[in-house]
Amino acid sequence: MTQQESTTNEEAEELRIGAFICECGVNIAGAVDCNAVADYISTLPNVTTAVVNKYTCSDAGQDEIKKAIKELDLNRVLVASCTPKTHEPIFRACVEEAGLNPYLFEFVNIREHCSWIHMWEKEDATRKAKELVRMGVARAALLEPLQSSEVPVTNKALVIGAGVTGMQAAMDIGDMGFQVYLVEAGPSIGGKMAQLDKTFPTNDCSICILGPKMVEVNRNPNIEIMSYSEVEEVDGYVGNFDVKVKHKARYVDIDLCTGCNSCVEKCPVEVPYWEFNEGIGTRKAVYVPFPQAVPLRALIDKSICIDCGACSKACERGAINMDQEDTFSDLEVGVIVVCVGYDVYDPEPNHDFGFGLYDNVITTMEFERLINASGPTMGKVVRPSDVVQPKRIGFVQCVGSRDVNSNIYCSSFCCMASLKNAQLIKEKYPDSEVYIMYMDMRTPFRMYEEFYNRARDMDIHFIRGRPAEVTENEDQNIIARIEDTLTNKIENLELDMMVLSVGAVSPESTEKIRQILKVSRAADGFMMEAHPKLKPVDTTLDGIFIGGMTQGPKDIPYSISQGSACAARATRFLAQGKALTEGITIAVDEDICVRCEVCVPMCPFQALKMDDDGKLEIITALCKGCGTCAVACPTGALQQSHYKNNQILAQVKEVFAYEEV
Amino acid sequence: MADNNDWEPKIVAFCCNWCSYGGADTAGMGRFQQPASTRVIRVMCSGRIDPLHVYNAFLEGADAVLVTGCHLGDCHYVNGNEKTELKYQFLEEMVKQLGLEPERLHLNWISASEGERFANFINDVTAKVKEIGPSPLKPEGVS
């Protein structure tokens, strides 16, 4: 970053503020009389020029700012437009190009905080905009130049979550030549996609396309897979994250185990296999997650193990180690990609559509395991109550989605998932009667509408409506009382099995990592991106990215795209090898500091300490610029740059002075 | 209270950069309409909101002051908002000592996604303050 040389004498310099008021097309001008704002602002002290732009952020708008800085010798620039959350970096770079220190730029939000929330009160909105800009002018006059510092970036990445999104992100980063730690909480990589039978719109076998990708990840020399591991702590900032990872004890030496299953055969303890088979079928206390698992290694579920020693005896390689304990690794990485996925909505607590009351009401995920050729029934679709193949199967859409009683959002993949599953039944058992009960079928994207049409041509019955009442008869058949809202006919539909097309929810288990990383949580519970359109995989935290279902429900192609997007966004830092830190930090005025040490424990980053001479030392590299310590300081010796008391109080004062003008 | 219907209070809202300022942005993006009563002042962390700022806002003529930040557990700076919560007890006492009604000071945690929550908050506080009228501390001639 170039330093502006004339800044040392800023205090004595005559203030020359240029104010640029953006109309943002009609976004601002529709409610705020921007010319009136500019006229008013130009009367304020220190304002050299006040200009209205159609779009200040456009090339033309930015050129006008740069030209004005040079021609009018401006030493402060104020832009009144949208939100600094998206546009502050743009304008800071703009003024810097014209030779002004970027921290001599002041941003006033008159769109999100004014025109958009007072859309029909033009007079109020204009008056408020004048006041907001006036506050900004007062603050701009007191701004001081600051320096961002360049920090080196550790050229390694951490990817949390090894579902299909995380795998893609890891592969792309690895292929670009950077070391990746791929941390997965489960015993194998692959995620939810490994559980699915076939995938739309091609109906190719899910594990057949995922399996080779899992192997590829394992073979990538730049990727270190840490399965059955969890991120415990994250410290630091972009370029320099310190990460503590816990490797949960498998009670099997992963270097000795070959995944041969000898131990599994001998183990006498058997429980329903919830983690992979949705409780259909069983697993042993010692088990290999699934045949295509990576790493293909056994692990022992200590919570049910009876310590009989049968597995140890069976293992020729001596891989069983019952004394194994959790171990920890400390990693240093420059960037973090979070792809921790989703859970399917659980209809059990509310007994949605009889789930949990009637055996033959199941979820999509259970159905995926039932029809999967390598699943617990070897692909034979049977209903839970009597293990007989159902002839009449109904799918209920939007369970846990688009419902004020659960989640209001659309989970986006469930329409296609049910169309796919309905087709698979018709292909496998052509005599079946298949019903899809829906509110709206949503099938955007390439080949999806065609896929829907194909289902329509396969004699699958579509009923526009959802069951109002679900009961069970003496044969344990499901009776769904439903109105087809296209024909206004109400019928009692008798089904042998009913599949609830459950949506996606943000897993409770990922809340811990969200809080460790301090990524914002959106209203729907998923993690929040920096901008819904412009920065879909960034977070507000530099160097931390989110991809796939972590950000909200999406299908496989979209998730994979986001995995690649995360890799591209993250690798920018790794490739540059450096990052800029915020110039906003804390500074101490030693003449006023009374060395009371009240501030020291206020800092959560240990950036403050008393040195050997009893003086307060500020470790700027650790300071994140929150300013909390400045409030604790009883003498005002600590000041947060860019948010000094006089700067904040100048804004406060100008909230009120309007009547006097 | 017919007069109060036309009168628009002046409310100063201190917002943290990461959550509540974003909440105010999201309210705008969602076009959640609000009375033009509130002026947002951005700080990096709610922990930066100094009793001095709140005190000055009341002395300058604020009819209400809002202290806002991230939900507890979500602070971008680990626990700045917990310190805000502690300081808020002091602020409540200060407001009492200043002879102001408790309705003139509010604390709220608003995430960057909670636009509607932000708008509802502004609507609610504005309505409450309209009921109790202008701040007795408001200097003459200031609105």
Coordinates of all heavy atoms in Angstrom, one line a residue, chain A residues 37-94:
Chain A
V37 N -30.3 17.3 -1.3 CA -29.2 16.9 -0.3 C -27.9 17.6 -0.7 O -27.2 18.2 0.2 CB -29.1 15.4 -0.3 CG1 -27.9 14.9 0.6 CG2 -30.3 14.7 0.2
A38 N -27.5 17.5 -2.0 CA -26.3 18.1 -2.4 C -26.2 19.6 -2.2 O -25.3 20.2 -1.7 CB -26.0 17.8 -3.9
D39 N -27.4 20.3 -2.5 CA -27.5 21.7 -2.2 C -27.2 22.0 -0.8 O -26.5 23.0 -0.4 CB -28.9 22.3 -2.6 CG -29.0 22.3 -4.2 OD1 -28.0 22.1 -4.8 OD2 -30.2 22.4 -4.6
Y40 N -27.9 21.3 0.1 CA -27.7 21.5 1.5 C -26.3 21.3 2.0 O -25.7 22.1 2.7 CB -28.7 20.6 2.3 CG -28.5 20.6 3.8 CD1 -28.5 21.8 4.6 CD2 -28.1 19.4 4.4 CE1 -28.3 21.8 5.9 CE2 -27.8 19.4 5.8 CZ -27.9 20.6 6.5 OH -27.6 20.5 7.9
I41 N -25.8 20.1 1.6 CA -24.4 19.7 2.0 C -23.4 20.8 1.6 O -22.4 21.1 2.3 CB -24.1 18.3 1.5 CG1 -25.0 17.3 2.1 CG2 -22.6 18.0 1.7 CD1 -25.0 17.3 3.7
S42 N -23.6 21.3 0.4 CA -22.6 22.3 -0.1 C -22.5 23.6 0.8 O -21.6 24.3 0.7 CB -22.8 22.6 -1.6 OG -24.1 23.2 -1.7
T43 N -23.5 23.7 1.6 CA -23.5 24.9 2.5 C -22.7 24.7 3.8 O -22.5 25.6 4.6 CB -24.9 25.4 2.9 OG1 -25.5 24.3 3.7 CG2 -25.8 25.6 1.7
L44 N -22.4 23.4 4.0 CA -21.8 23.1 5.3 C -20.3 23.4 5.3 O -19.6 23.5 4.2 CB -21.9 21.6 5.6 CG -23.3 21.1 5.8 CD1 -23.3 19.6 6.0 CD2 -24.1 21.8 6.9
P45 N -19.7 23.7 6.5 CA -18.3 24.1 6.5 C -17.4 22.9 6.0 O -17.8 21.8 6.2 CB -18.1 24.3 8.0 CG -19.3 23.8 8.8 CD -20.4 23.8 7.8
N46 N -16.3 23.3 5.4 CA -15.3 22.4 4.9 C -15.7 21.6 3.7 O -14.9 20.9 3.1 CB -14.9 21.4 6.0 CG -14.4 22.0 7.3 OD1 -13.8 23.0 7.2 ND2 -14.8 21.4 8.4
V47 N -16.9 21.8 3.2 CA -17.3 21.1 2.0 C -17.0 21.9 0.8 O -17.5 23.0 0.6 CB -18.9 20.8 2.0 CG1 -19.3 20.1 0.7 CG2 -19.2 19.9 3.2
T48 N -16.1 21.3 -0.1 CA -15.6 22.0 -1.2 C -16.5 21.8 -2.4 O -16.8 22.7 -3.2 CB -14.2 21.5 -1.6 OG1 -13.4 21.6 -0.5 CG2 -13.6 22.3 -2.8
T49 N -17.0 20.6 -2.5 CA -18.0 20.3 -3.6 C -19.0 19.3 -3.2 O -18.6 18.4 -2.4 CB -17.2 19.9 -4.9 OG1 -18.1 19.6 -5.9 CG2 -16.4 18.6 -4.6
A50 N -20.2 19.4 -3.7 CA -21.2 18.3 -3.4 C -21.8 18.0 -4.8 O -22.4 18.9 -5.4 CB -22.2 18.8 -2.4
V51 N -21.7 16.8 -5.2 CA -22.1 16.4 -6.6 C -23.1 15.3 -6.5 O -23.0 14.4 -5.6 CB -20.8 15.9 -7.3 CG1 -21.2 15.5 -8.8 CG2 -19.7 16.9 -7.3
V52 N -24.0 15.3 -7.4 CA -25.0 14.1 -7.5 C -24.5 13.3 -8.7 O -24.2 13.8 -9.8 CB -26.4 14.6 -7.8 CG1 -27.4 13.4 -8.0 CG2 -26.9 15.5 -6.6
N53 N -24.4 11.9 -8.5 CA -24.1 11.0 -9.6 C -25.3 10.1 -9.8 O -26.0 9.7 -8.9 CB -22.9 10.1 -9.2 CG -21.7 10.9 -8.8 OD1 -21.4 10.8 -7.6 ND2 -21.1 11.6 -9.7
K54 N -25.4 9.6 -11.0 CA -26.5 8.6 -11.3 C -26.1 7.3 -10.6 O -26.9 6.7 -9.9 CB -26.5 8.4 -12.8 CG -27.7 7.6 -13.2 CD -28.9 8.5 -13.5 CE -30.2 7.7 -13.8 NZ -31.4 8.5 -13.5
Y55 N -24.8 6.9 -10.8 CA -24.3 5.7 -10.1 C -22.8 6.1 -9.7 O -21.9 6.0 -10.5 CB -24.3 4.5 -11.0 CG -25.6 4.0 -11.4 CD1 -26.2 4.3 -12.6 CD2 -26.3 3.2 -10.5 CE1 -27.4 3.9 -13.0 CE2 -27.6 2.7 -10.9 CZ -28.1 3.1 -12.1 OH -29.4 2.6 -12.5
T56 N -22.6 6.4 -8.4 CA -21.3 6.8 -8.0 C -20.3 5.7 -8.2 O -19.1 5.9 -8.4 CB -21.3 7.3 -6.6 OG1 -22.4 8.3 -6.4 CG2 -20.0 8.0 -6.2
C57 N -20.7 4.4 -8.0 CA -19.8 3.3 -8.1 C -19.4 2.9 -9.5 O -18.5 2.1 -9.7 CB -20.3 2.1 -7.3 SG -21.8 1.4 -8.1
S58 N -20.1 3.5 -10.5 CA -19.7 3.1 -11.9 C -18.4 3.7 -12.2 O -17.8 4.6 -11.5 CB -20.8 3.7 -12.8 OG -20.7 5.1 -12.8
D59 N -17.8 3.3 -13.3 CA -16.5 3.8 -13.8 C -16.6 5.3 -13.8 O -15.7 6.0 -13.4 CB -16.2 3.3 -15.2 CG -15.2 2.2 -15.1 OD1 -14.8 1.8 -13.9 OD2 -14.8 1.6 -16.1
A60 N -17.7 5.8 -14.4 CA -17.8 7.3 -14.6 C -17.9 8.0 -13.3 O -17.2 9.0 -13.1 CB -19.1 7.6 -15.4
G61 N -18.6 7.4 -12.3 CA -18.7 8.0 -11.0 C -17.4 8.0 -10.3 O -17.0 9.0 -9.7
Q62 N -16.6 6.9 -10.4 CA -15.3 6.8 -9.7 C -14.3 7.8 -10.4 O -13.5 8.4 -9.7 CB -14.8 5.4 -9.8 CG -15.6 4.4 -8.9 CD -14.9 3.1 -8.7 OE1 -13.7 3.1 -8.3 NE2 -15.6 2.0 -8.9
D63 N -14.4 7.9 -11.7 CA -13.5 8.8 -12.4 C -13.8 10.3 -11.9 O -12.9 11.1 -11.8 CB -13.8 8.8 -13.9 CG -13.1 7.5 -14.5 OD1 -12.3 6.9 -13.8 OD2 -13.4 7.1 -15.6
E64 N -15.1 10.6 -11.7 CA -15.4 11.9 -11.3 C -14.8 12.2 -9.9 O -14.3 13.3 -9.6 CB -17.0 12.0 -11.2 CG -17.4 13.5 -11.1 CD -18.9 13.7 -11.4 OE1 -19.5 12.7 -12.0 OE2 -19.4 14.7 -11.1
I65 N -14.8 11.2 -9.0 CA -14.2 11.3 -7.7 C -12.7 11.6 -7.8 O -12.2 12.5 -7.3 CB -14.4 10.1 -6.8 CG1 -15.9 9.9 -6.5 CG2 -13.6 10.1 -5.5 CD1 -16.3 8.6 -5.7
K66 N -12.1 10.8 -8.7 CA -10.6 10.9 -8.8 C -10.2 12.3 -9.4 O -9.3 12.9 -9.0 CB -10.1 9.8 -9.7 CG -10.1 8.4 -9.0 CD -9.5 7.4 -10.0 CE -10.2 6.1 -9.8 NZ -9.9 5.1 -10.9
K67 N -11.1 12.7 -10.4 CA -10.8 13.9 -11.0 C -11.0 15.1 -10.0 O -10.1 16.0 -9.9 CB -11.8 14.1 -12.2 CG -11.4 15.0 -13.3 CD -12.3 14.9 -14.5 CE -12.7 16.4 -14.9 NZ -13.9 16.5 -15.6
A68 N -12.0 15.0 -9.2 CA -12.3 16.0 -8.2 C -11.2 16.1 -7.2 O -10.8 17.2 -6.7 CB -13.6 15.8 -7.6
I69 N -10.6 14.9 -6.8 CA -9.5 14.9 -5.8 C -8.4 15.7 -6.3 O -7.8 16.5 -5.7 CB -9.1 13.5 -5.5 CG1 -10.2 12.7 -4.7 CG2 -7.8 13.5 -4.7 CD1 -10.0 11.3 -4.5
K70 N -8.1 15.5 -7.6 CA -6.9 16.1 -8.2 C -7.2 17.6 -8.5 O -6.4 18.5 -8.1 CB -6.5 15.4 -9.5 CG -5.8 14.1 -9.1 CD -5.4 13.3 -10.3 CE -4.8 11.9 -9.9 NZ -5.1 10.8 -10.7
E71 N -8.3 17.9 -9.2 CA -8.5 19.2 -9.6 C -8.9 20.2 -8.5 O -8.5 21.4 -8.5 CB -9.6 19.2 -10.7 CG -9.2 18.7 -12.0 CD -10.2 18.7 -13.1 OE1 -11.4 19.1 -12.8 OE2 -9.9 18.2 -14.2
L72 N -9.7 19.7 -7.5 CA -10.1 20.5 -6.4 C -9.2 20.3 -5.1 O -9.5 20.9 -4.1 CB -11.6 20.3 -6.1 CG -12.6 20.5 -7.2 CD1 -13.9 20.0 -6.8 CD2 -12.6 21.9 -7.6
D73 N -8.2 19.5 -5.3 CA -7.3 19.3 -4.2 C -8.0 18.8 -2.9 O -7.8 19.3 -1.8 CB -6.5 20.6 -3.9 CG -5.2 20.3 -3.1 OD1 -4.8 19.1 -3.2 OD2 -4.7 21.2 -2.5
L74 N -9.0 17.9 -3.1 CA -9.7 17.4 -2.0 C -8.8 16.6 -1.1 O -8.0 15.8 -1.5 CB -10.9 16.4 -2.5 CG -11.9 17.0 -3.4 CD1 -12.9 16.0 -3.8 CD2 -12.6 18.2 -2.8
N75 N -9.1 16.7 0.2 CA -8.3 15.8 1.2 C -9.2 14.9 2.0 O -8.8 14.2 2.9 CB -7.4 16.6 2.0 CG -8.0 17.8 2.7 OD1 -9.3 17.8 2.8 ND2 -7.3 18.8 3.0
R76 N -10.5 15.0 1.7 CA -11.5 14.1 2.3 C -12.5 13.8 1.3 O -12.9 14.7 0.5 CB -12.2 14.7 3.5 CG -11.4 15.1 4.7 CD -10.8 13.9 5.5 NE -10.2 14.2 6.7 CZ -8.9 14.8 6.8 NH1 -8.3 15.0 5.6 NH2 -8.4 15.1 7.9
V77 N -13.0 12.5 1.2 CA -14.0 12.2 0.2 C -15.2 11.5 1.0 O -14.9 10.6 1.8 CB -13.5 11.3 -0.9 CG1 -14.7 10.7 -1.7 CG2 -12.6 12.1 -1.8
L78 N -16.4 11.9 0.7 CA -17.6 11.3 1.3 C -18.5 10.8 0.2 O -18.7 11.5 -0.8 CB -18.3 12.3 2.2 CG -19.6 11.9 2.8 CD1 -19.8 12.7 4.1 CD2 -20.8 12.2 1.9
V79 N -18.9 9.6 0.3 CA -19.9 9.1 -0.7 C -21.1 8.7 0.1 O -21.0 8.0 1.1 CB -19.3 7.9 -1.5 CG1 -20.5 7.2 -2.3 CG2 -18.2 8.3 -2.4
A80 N -22.2 9.2 -0.4 CA -23.5 8.8 0.2 C -24.2 8.0 -0.8 O -24.7 8.4 -1.8 CB -24.4 10.1 0.6
S81 N -24.3 6.7 -0.5 CA -24.9 5.8 -1.4 C -25.5 4.6 -0.7 O -26.4 4.7 0.2 CB -23.9 5.3 -2.5 OG -22.8 4.7 -1.9
C82 N -24.9 3.4 -0.9 CA -25.5 2.2 -0.4 C -24.8 1.8 0.9 O -24.5 2.6 1.7 CB -25.4 1.1 -1.4 SG -23.8 0.9 -2.1
T83 N -24.5 0.5 1.1 CA -23.9 0.1 2.4 C -22.4 -0.1 2.3 O -21.9 -0.6 1.3 CB -24.6 -1.2 2.8 OG1 -23.8 -1.7 4.0 CG2 -24.6 -2.3 1.8
P84 N -21.7 0.3 3.3 CA -20.2 0.1 3.3 C -19.9 -1.4 3.3 O -18.8 -1.7 2.9 CB -19.8 0.8 4.6 CG -21.0 0.9 5.4 CD -22.2 1.0 4.5
K85 N -20.8 -2.2 3.7 CA -20.5 -3.6 3.7 C -20.1 -4.2 2.4 O -19.3 -5.1 2.2 CB -21.7 -4.5 4.3 CG -22.2 -4.0 5.6 CD -21.4 -4.5 6.8 CE -21.8 -5.8 7.2 NZ -20.9 -6.2 8.4
T86 N -20.7 -3.6 1.3 CA -20.3 -4.1 0.0 C -19.4 -3.0 -0.7 O -18.5 -3.4 -1.5 CB -21.5 -4.3 -0.9 OG1 -22.3 -3.1 -1.0 CG2 -22.4 -5.4 -0.4
H87 N -19.6 -1.7 -0.5 CA -19.0 -0.8 -1.4 C -17.8 0.0 -0.8 O -17.1 0.8 -1.5 CB -20.0 0.2 -2.0 CG -20.8 -0.4 -3.1 ND1 -21.4 -1.6 -3.1 CD2 -20.9 0.0 -4.4 CE1 -22.0 -1.9 -4.2 NE2 -21.7 -0.9 -5.1
E88 N -17.6 -0.1 0.5 CA -16.5 0.6 1.1 C -15.2 0.3 0.5 O -14.4 1.2 0.2 CB -16.5 0.4 2.7 CG -15.6 1.4 3.4 CD -15.9 1.4 4.9 OE1 -15.7 0.3 5.5 OE2 -16.2 2.4 5.4
P89 N -14.9 -1.0 0.3 CA -13.6 -1.3 -0.3 C -13.4 -0.7 -1.7 O -12.3 -0.3 -2.0 CB -13.6 -2.9 -0.4 CG -14.6 -3.3 0.6 CD -15.6 -2.2 0.7
I90 N -14.5 -0.6 -2.4 CA -14.4 -0.1 -3.8 C -14.0 1.4 -3.7 O -13.1 1.8 -4.5 CB -15.8 -0.3 -4.5 CG1 -16.1 -1.7 -4.7 CG2 -15.9 0.5 -5.8 CD1 -17.6 -2.0 -5.0
F91 N -14.7 2.1 -2.9 CA -14.4 3.6 -2.8 C -13.1 3.9 -2.1 O -12.4 4.8 -2.5 CB -15.5 4.3 -2.2 CG -16.8 4.4 -3.0 CD1 -18.0 3.8 -2.5 CD2 -16.8 4.9 -4.3 CE1 -19.1 3.8 -3.3 CE2 -17.9 5.0 -5.1 CZ -19.1 4.4 -4.6
R92 N -12.7 3.1 -1.2 CA -11.4 3.2 -0.6 C -10.3 3.1 -1.6 O -9.3 3.8 -1.7 CB -11.2 2.2 0.6 CG -11.8 2.7 1.9 CD -11.4 1.7 3.0 NE -12.0 2.1 4.3 CZ -12.0 1.3 5.3 NH1 -11.5 0.1 5.3 NH2 -12.5 1.7 6.5
A93 N -10.5 2.0 -2.4 CA -9.5 1.8 -3.5 C -9.5 3.0 -4.5 O -8.4 3.4 -5.0 CB -9.8 0.5 -4.2
C94 N -10.6 3.5 -4.8 CA -10.8 4.6 -5.7 C -10.0 5.8 -5.2 O -9.2 6.4 -6.0 CB -12.3 4.9 -5.9 SG -12.6 6.5 -6.7

